[in-house]
Amino acid sequence: MNRRNTLAFSLTATLLLAAGTAQAGNTLNAVKERGYVKCGVSDGLPGFSYADAKGNYSGIDADVCRAIAAAVFGDATKLKFTPLTAKERLTALQSGEIDVLSRNTTWTSSRDSAQGLNFTGVTYYDGQGFLVNKKLGVKGAKELDGATVCVQAGTTTELNLSDYFRANKMKFTPISYDKSDESAKSLEAGRCDVLTSDQSQLYAQRIKLAKPDDYVVLPEVISKEPLGPVVRHGDDEWFDIVRWTLFAMVNAEEMGITSKNVDEMKKSTNPDIKRMLGVEGDKGKDFGLANDWMAVVIKQVGNYGEVFERTVGKGSDLKIARGQNALWTQGGLQYAPPVR
Amino acid sequence: MSATHVPHPDLPPPSSTIGALGWLRRNLFSSPLNVALTVLAVYLLAISLPPMLRWALFDATWSGDSREACTANSGACWIFIKVHFGQFMYGFYPEAQRWRVDAVVLLLIIGAAPLFISSVSNPLKVRLGLGLLLLYPLLAFMLLHGGLFGLTPVDTRQWGGLLLTLVIAGVGMTAALPLGVLLALGRRSKMPAIQTLCVTFIEFWRGVPLITVLFMSSVMLPLFLPTGMNFDKLLRALIGVTLFQAAYMAEVVRGGLQAIPKGQVEAAAALGLGYWKTMALIVLPQALKLVIPGIVNTFIALFKDTSLVLIIGLFDLMNIVHSATTNPAWLGFSTEGYVFAAAVYWLFCFSMSHYSQSLEKRLHTGHKR
């Protein structure tokens, strides 16, 4: 999401090489010994990870952390959140300050390779989109020729924007703002026709407007921003646990297992469900965890759909539609390999 | 018969030079330029004050506890501040434990109050001051962090708001001043090793921006430490801030040292005083008094610079206000939040500068012209 920091990252990466990347070691044992998971989250992005007045974190990224704690300890509260800025997040992970980073971080090739990190999956498929006033009568991004576009300065959003308009041979006038608040205000004042940013942010900005219903997020997505949890290179066991925590939640939604019916579902005759909930076989033990850890995750945190709707979807202020984040069976991209 | 000359009683001064009218004439309308400036100032106040007052006072919402209560009025929504007040003061410090923060503040007030009372004898003040400087921080840390005497431990990552701002500013000030004095003395030392060391230290820390120091402390430092060895982020920031401010303090103090005539040192030597006694009894008391404005200036700058810790994800007053303005349940009240933060910063900085002025007056020994 915030991609301003390429320079800082590459510098960090260089230093890392000098300092020796090898973070090999048994993260799982360290976590168990310590008694809690150290999870890096954002310093405040409603819907993803946001601390309320009492310091309780909510959001889809925070819930992924909870799910990991539930997987390891059978208790979703055995974790500590570390709020991190965009600049610090990768170093914090590399240096072992946190065990897993779940902080709206885009999965890119350089982070997966040079930075010594592993993305375990995608919790949220984001992408750059457009927010327009309904009065404009625009139905799609292709009709935006000649538009004045508000954009946040210094992000790759600007680059994606000009690439998109050039590729489609359209003209536009960009107006850059430093803060998202300013750009939202200027859309409201009519200084620009369109506001562009990652779609999840557009929804967040829309609810800040005086009349949110007058504005609409266009269906086009012009860049890929898959956001997901990240772990360090060199500990495959831990990688598997983090990766399959998310997969378990997605699989649970696909099989119709929710936090409410998970206990009944254990009586199901469906072998897939029985395997997953640890009633049959010992698939859970293969991870070095309790055999029924997936059931615990679902019971304490919920399946992917439940978490999505609660944090960013219908049950939240953001009201983001499932879109690309729907299950693959419903035309979305969320797909998890089978438990067997 | 001689007549004594009785002077005619003085006429009262012309009515245009006394009273409110006289004051106005003297101060606001003494020349055409001043007349123009006065008119302009009155005009600017007339167009800016009423809307400001309307927003902040008359049309503002004061009572209620939900966002809906604010929709009726067009002015400021102070409920936003009311609802988030605890958070702004204590950050994410657990509510049940907040009495500990209050206790720490209360202790400081009780402990420091005698220092401001003139009837308390000086030796007692010195002892009290030393106690505050050496014992109080330990006590405050134990209370705030807990973990001892059955107090629930509160991780430093839960500290926030004004508490964190005060912790950073307080530690930075109390640690930077002595360190700065030592550095200043070191820089003027005749021993080449010490002098080089101090000059290098000062020039290095003055040559880098604070934001870089904080960034290095939180992002780069962990990479150089062995794996698994992480020390507290707040501690790292505190060390960075202290070293940074010490370098500035050293230069301020050095200015004072240079203003002390050489005769003072020579007189001290003639009395048979050694280096440390000369410094502690003769030079520093005079030098520090001279640079009070500079020291307080550095303190005020430090107090405001604490807001930079937001780039390393610490929730000081500024960052916690910012974070509250993004609360989905309370969107659109950023102005109220920032006005509140500004007021708090102003209150502290103004008190500091006020105190420094009274200190200057008290220590005034006739140097001033």
Side-chain angles (χ1 to χ4, degrees):
Chain A
M1 292 202 123
N2 195 330
R3 287 141 281 152
R4 265 179 264 183
N5 316 302
T6 343
L7 201 138
F9 288 149
S10 43
L11 192 63
T12 318
T14 324
L15 279 167
L16 237 197
L17 290 178
T21 331
Q23 289 285 351
N26 201 322
T27 313
L28 179 60
N29 281 348
V31 168
K32 277 184 172 162
E33 225 166 87
R34 196 190 308 129
Y36 57 90
V37 179
K38 290 193 284 190
C39 194
V41 291
S42 84
D43 49 350
L45 183 64
F48 288 82
S49 41
Y50 182 82
D52 67 10
K54 296 209 166 68
N56 298 322
Y57 278 85
S58 62
I60 192 167
D61 285 341
D63 279 352
V64 168
C65 297
R66 290 200 174 92
I68 295 166
V72 176
F73 295 107
D75 182 351
T77 62
K78 288 200 168 160
L79 83 165
K80 282 199 178 161
F81 290 107
T82 304
L84 295 164
T85 64
K87 292 182 180 72
E88 303 175 291
R89 54 182 167 185
L90 300 188
T91 329
L93 183 60
Q94 286 156 341
S95 68
E97 201 176 324
I98 51 175
D99 302 314
V100 54
L101 177 71
S102 179
R103 188 205 179 279
N104 50 289
T105 307
T106 305
W107 187 346
T108 64
S109 66
S110 70
R111 286 176 183 168
D112 236 3
S113 53
Q115 313 251 346
L117 304 173
N118 272 337
F119 280 80
T120 61
V122 178
T123 38
Y124 187 92
Y125 287 96
D126 209 344
Q128 191 176 336
F130 299 100
L131 178 68
V132 297
N133 194 324
K134 276 184 187 159
K135 270 186 285 183
L136 228 57
V138 175
K139 291 276 174 307
K142 294 267 164 61
E143 299 168 36
L144 289 174
D145 196 10
T148 313
V149 186
C150 279
V151 61
Q152 211 159 319
T155 58
T156 42
T157 319
E158 270 177 312
L159 182 73
N160 295 337
L161 175 71
S162 74
D163 283 355
Y164 179 78
F165 274 76
R166 240 197 0 229
N168 288 296
K169 299 196 172 54
M170 300 194 295
K171 285 201 185 71
F172 75 103
T173 318
I175 306 180
S176 298
Y177 289 96
D178 266 342
K179 291 222 159 136
S180 58
D181 285 353
E182 295 171 47
S183 45
K185 286 244 164 68
S186 86
L187 176 72
E188 208 163 22
R191 280 195 287 277
C192 51
D193 308 315
V194 192
L195 176 61
T196 185
S197 183
D198 287 346
Q199 279 203 325
S200 60
Q201 310 244 328
L202 289 181
Y203 283 102
Q205 295 201 2
R206 198 172 75 126
I207 54 172
K208 286 189 204 172
L209 301 172
K211 289 180 189 152
D213 295 337
D214 287 359
Y215 297 84
V216 63
V217 177
L218 296 180
E220 277 88 351
V221 174
I222 64 168
S223 74
K224 290 192 285 188
E225 309 287 345
L227 313 176
V230 200
V231 295
R232 283 182 291 273
H233 266 181
D235 190 345
D236 291 346
E237 189 189 15
W238 182 245
F239 172 81
D240 288 340
I241 291 170
V242 176
R243 152 172 277 196
W244 276 88
T245 303
L246 182 60
F247 282 163
M249 290 160 77
V250 174
N251 272 327
E253 189 189 3
E254 199 183 323
M255 294 175 188
I257 310 171
T258 66
S259 55
K260 294 192 184 65
N261 71 7
V262 59
D263 288 329
E264 287 162 44
M265 282 302 223
K266 279 184 181 162
K267 293 173 204 131
S268 160
T269 49
N270 183 334
D272 276 342
I273 294 179
K274 282 180 129 167
R275 263 199 303 275
M276 183 162 140
L277 298 182
V279 183
E280 210 175 80
D282 47 10
K283 297 294 161 227
K285 284 206 179 109
D286 296 347
F287 287 93
L289 302 170
N291 201 32
D292 65 340
W293 69 269
M294 292 189 188
V296 174
V297 166
I298 295 154
K299 186 165 173 61
Q300 297 193 359
V301 183
N303 69 32
Y304 180 79
E306 284 179 278
V307 169
F308 187 97
E309 297 299 359
R310 180 172 70 217
T311 55
V312 293
K314 285 192 211 87
S316 71
D317 293 309
L318 294 174
K319 308 229 180 317
I320 301 178
R322 281 297 285 271
Q324 292 175 312
N325 293 296
L327 290 180
W328 64 287
T329 47
Q330 284 152 27
L333 295 171
Q334 287 295 354
Y335 180 97
V339 180
R340 58 169 188 250
Chain B
M1 171 180 164
S2 60
T4 333
H5 173 68
V6 179
H8 198 276
D10 285 346
L11 284 174
S15 65
S16 61
T17 61
I18 52 163
L21 203 65
W23 185 88
L24 283 177
R25 277 186 93 132
R26 245 193 337 273
N27 293 297
L28 298 177
F29 300 100
S30 59
S31 68
L33 179 67
N34 275 358
V35 171
L37 286 176
T38 303
V39 170
L40 184 71
V42 168
Y43 171 72
L44 286 178
L45 281 179
I47 57 167
S48 62
L49 257 190
M52 257 198 267
L53 290 178
R54 259 206 305 279
W55 179 81
L57 298 173
F58 307 128
D59 290 350
T61 316
W62 298 89
S63 57
D65 43 20
S66 73
R67 195 195 160 137
E68 282 64 42
C70 285
T71 43
N73 297 325
S74 58
C77 179
W78 297 120
I79 303 174
F80 171 74
I81 305 295
K82 202 171 88 184
V83 168
H84 291 90
F85 191 75
Q87 197 185 358
F88 290 167
M89 293 298 115
Y90 306 98
F92 303 126
Y93 211 88
E95 240 163 291
Q97 307 291 332
R98 285 181 181 170
W99 63 269
R100 281 154 57 178
V101 182
D102 299 339
V104 165
V105 175
L106 208 66
L107 266 177
L108 180 65
I109 294 174
I110 294 173
L115 297 180
F116 297 88
I117 300 169
S118 45
S119 60
V120 179
S121 71
N122 269 342
L124 192 68
K125 274 187 186 174
V126 169
R127 240 174 278 162
L128 201 64
L130 277 178
L132 270 184
L133 212 58
L134 301 173
L135 285 180
Y136 176 74
L138 281 177
L139 198 67
F141 176 78
M142 268 183 332
L143 262 173
L144 287 178
H145 191 269
L148 286 167
F149 309 120
L151 291 172
T152 332
V154 179
D155 226 24
T156 55
R157 80 187 79 195
Q158 287 172 285
W159 302 14
L162 186 61
L163 161 68
L164 189 70
T165 298
L166 290 180
V167 165
I168 298 173
V171 170
M173 286 173 194
T174 40
L177 185 58
L179 205 57
V181 170
L182 287 180
L183 281 168
L185 291 176
R187 191 167 184 164
R188 284 163 59 87
S189 163
K190 294 201 176 62
M191 286 180 256
I194 290 183
Q195 199 200 11
T196 320
L197 204 71
C198 290
V199 171
T200 318
F201 181 93
I202 293 170
E203 294 307 331
F204 172 76
W205 287 99
R206 280 207 310 167
V208 290
L210 182 56
I211 205 158
T212 329
V213 173
L214 291 172
F215 192 69
M216 284 290 286
S217 78
S218 92
V219 177
M220 298 300 183
L221 193 65
L223 291 177
F224 299 125
L225 295 173
T227 311
M229 185 187 151
N230 289 302
F231 61 99
D232 199 83
K233 189 149 92 173
L234 177 60
L235 182 64
R236 278 181 268 159
L238 282 178
I239 294 174
V241 166
T242 304
L243 296 181
F244 182 83
Q245 290 300 331
Y248 276 85
M249 196 54 76
E251 288 301 278
V252 171
V253 173
R254 190 166 67 98
L257 292 178
Q258 277 172 351
I260 304 302
K262 211 178 166 195
Q264 297 283 330
V265 181
E266 288 166 354
L271 286 175
L273 296 181
Y275 175 79
W276 289 109
K277 278 198 167 158
T278 311
M279 287 303 150
L281 298 174
I282 311 290
V283 178
L284 279 177
Q286 301 184 65
L288 289 179
K289 190 191 75 191
L290 282 177
V291 291
I292 289 174
I295 291 175
V296 174
N297 215 10
T298 315
F299 281 174
I300 289 179
L302 163 64
F303 189 81
K304 291 187 288 188
D305 279 352
T306 54
S307 58
L308 289 177
V309 297
L310 83 92
I311 69 138
I312 57 169
L314 291 177
F315 287 87
D316 75 314
L317 178 64
M318 194 64 199
N319 201 11
I320 209 126
V321 167
H322 173 77
S323 142
T325 61
T326 62
N327 182 346
W330 287 92
L331 287 174
F333 299 110
S334 44
T335 320
E336 285 86 343
Y338 291 130
V339 164
F340 174 76
V344 174
Y345 279 108
W346 181 82
L347 193 71
F348 276 91
C349 294
F350 181 72
S351 326
M352 271 192 270
S353 79
H354 210 75
Y355 175 63
S356 93
Q357 275 170 20
S358 71
L359 203 60
E360 271 173 63
K361 267 195 210 117
R362 195 138 49 94
L363 300 178
H364 170 62
T365 45
H367 271 295
K368 240 183 253 170
R369 257 170 269 183

